[in-house]
Amino acid sequence: MPELPEVETTRRGLQDHIVGCRLGGWNVRNPALRWPVEIPALLQGRRLLALNRRAKYLLFQFRPGTLLLHLGMSGSLRLLAAPASKPLRHDHVDLAFSGGKVLRLNDPRRFGCIRWQPGAAAAHPLLAHLGVEPLSGDLTGRYLKDCAKSRKVAVKTFIMDSRILVGVGNIYAAESLFLAGVRPSTAAGRVTLSGFAALAEAIKRVLNQALDAGGTTLRDFVGSDGRPGYFRQKLNVYGRSGRPCRRCGASLQHRRIGGRATVFCRRCQAAR
Ligand SMILES: [Zn+2]
């Protein structure tokens, strides 16, 4: 599944190529994605003003409003030279931009979406209730501590809750908790302010590492090939149950937390 760093890598790779170009037309071969594809006729000939990101949504901003694009479970984008090559089986949507560029969405499982929001993108129901961006200054230990209050939910489940904080999937949650030395099963309300401060910093570090690794794929473009984890070789805990902790050598433990596989080190991750 494309995670936040892959979506951000895709955004960075695309923006220099298409921002400022006009949307000349589009071809929707299969509108039946997670929700029906929405591209309003009024976008014909409109200039793309910006390509932003909120959580895992790419936001194509035009003067009349914003197209929200989500890659779902298996989506990927490629930028092709027009006339584009013959579409493959799961190439559901083409967006043709001036300058002879075609942006093509491939999505075998069709959990992705393209939706339209007039006016400010933030008002769209898919975005309205999202928590803070992890790479922004809004994510701090104090913010997490204030959200946690006396909540009993496991801290791992808590940081994966998109109403609190967006973009922290299962791999990044496990890795961040390890770096911060926080036991994943601890009730969120019991994590100390210093624990949350370490966690906020670790989340940024883990996501930035993934972005750095993803950046090396920018040349070929376009980032996401739908496979998880650019930086698999650097993982400390995810997928390493029963293997020795890289820090202390103890055997890593496995537990299901909130229905998700979770690996941690009993020695390095305190129940704080
Ligand atoms: Zn350890």
Side-chain angles (χ1 to χ4, degrees):
M1 183 188 309
E3 296 285 352
L4 186 139
E6 286 147 293
V7 177
E8 178 61 16
T9 298
T10 298
R11 188 193 72 78
R12 291 178 185 180
L14 277 179
Q15 72 173 354
D16 292 345
H17 296 282
I18 59 171
V19 171
C21 295
R22 291 182 185 278
L23 184 60
W26 50 89
N27 186 359
V28 180
R29 292 179 205 89
N30 184 352
L33 301 186
R34 181 166 189 178
W35 300 289
V37 172
E38 288 179 340
I39 306 175
L42 60 77
L43 281 186
Q44 181 74 47
R46 289 287 183 165
R47 193 180 295 282
L48 180 64
L49 301 178
L51 179 58
N52 296 315
R53 179 188 57 74
R54 177 74 171 106
K56 295 203 285 182
Y57 292 91
L58 289 171
L59 307 178
F60 294 77
Q61 193 196 319
F62 298 88
R63 193 168 302 285
T66 305
L67 281 181
L68 285 64
L69 186 152
H70 197 288
L71 295 171
M73 306 285 287
S74 60
S76 61
L77 288 167
R78 275 172 301 148
L79 195 61
L80 309 166
S85 51
K86 195 165 171 283
L88 302 173
R89 180 153 173 238
H90 302 293
D91 287 340
H92 301 311
V93 179
D94 283 355
L95 299 176
F97 288 94
S98 55
K101 293 160 199 160
V102 173
L103 185 62
R104 178 167 284 175
L105 173 66
N106 179 280
D107 188 359
R109 296 184 63 183
R110 290 191 284 120
F111 280 104
C113 69
I114 297 179
R115 304 292 280 176
W116 169 248
Q117 173 65 29
H124 194 280
L126 289 168
L127 306 185
H129 303 290
L130 294 176
V132 301
E133 285 287 330
L135 297 174
S136 75
D138 295 338
L139 174 61
T140 62
R142 171 48 65 189
Y143 169 77
L144 292 175
K145 183 71 182 157
D146 289 347
C147 290
K149 293 197 184 84
S150 55
R151 293 185 58 179
K152 292 186 173 62
V153 63
V155 64
K156 176 166 179 258
T157 307
F158 174 75
I159 59 170
M160 291 175 66
D161 182 344
S162 65
R163 292 165 299 183
I164 307 288
L165 167 67
V166 300
V168 181
N170 199 36
I171 298 176
Y172 299 124
E175 293 297 314
S176 303
L177 287 158
F178 176 79
L179 287 182
V182 175
R183 181 79 58 95
S185 55
T186 310
R190 298 189 63 109
V191 176
T192 62
L193 180 57
S194 68
F196 272 132
L199 190 51
E201 194 185 314
I203 289 168
K204 291 173 199 280
R205 198 182 335 156
V206 165
L207 292 174
N208 275 314
Q209 271 176 6
L211 275 177
D212 290 345
T216 61
T217 66
L218 278 184
R219 208 162 28 121
D220 320 325
F221 215 67
V222 160
S224 172
D225 57 7
R227 284 179 308 205
Y230 279 120
F231 65 131
R232 221 176 166 82
Q233 71 284 0
K234 291 183 193 157
L235 298 179
N236 285 304
V237 285
Y238 183 85
R240 297 193 67 242
S241 175
R243 296 176 62 190
C245 171
R246 296 195 204 279
R247 191 179 289 160
C248 76
S251 180
L252 294 175
Q253 308 287 308
H254 176 271
R255 266 189 76 173
R256 287 194 87 78
I257 295 176
R260 307 298 301 271
T262 304
V263 181
F264 65 100
C265 176
R266 200 187 298 243
R267 271 195 221 158
C268 294
Q269 293 175 259
R272 64 172 178 178

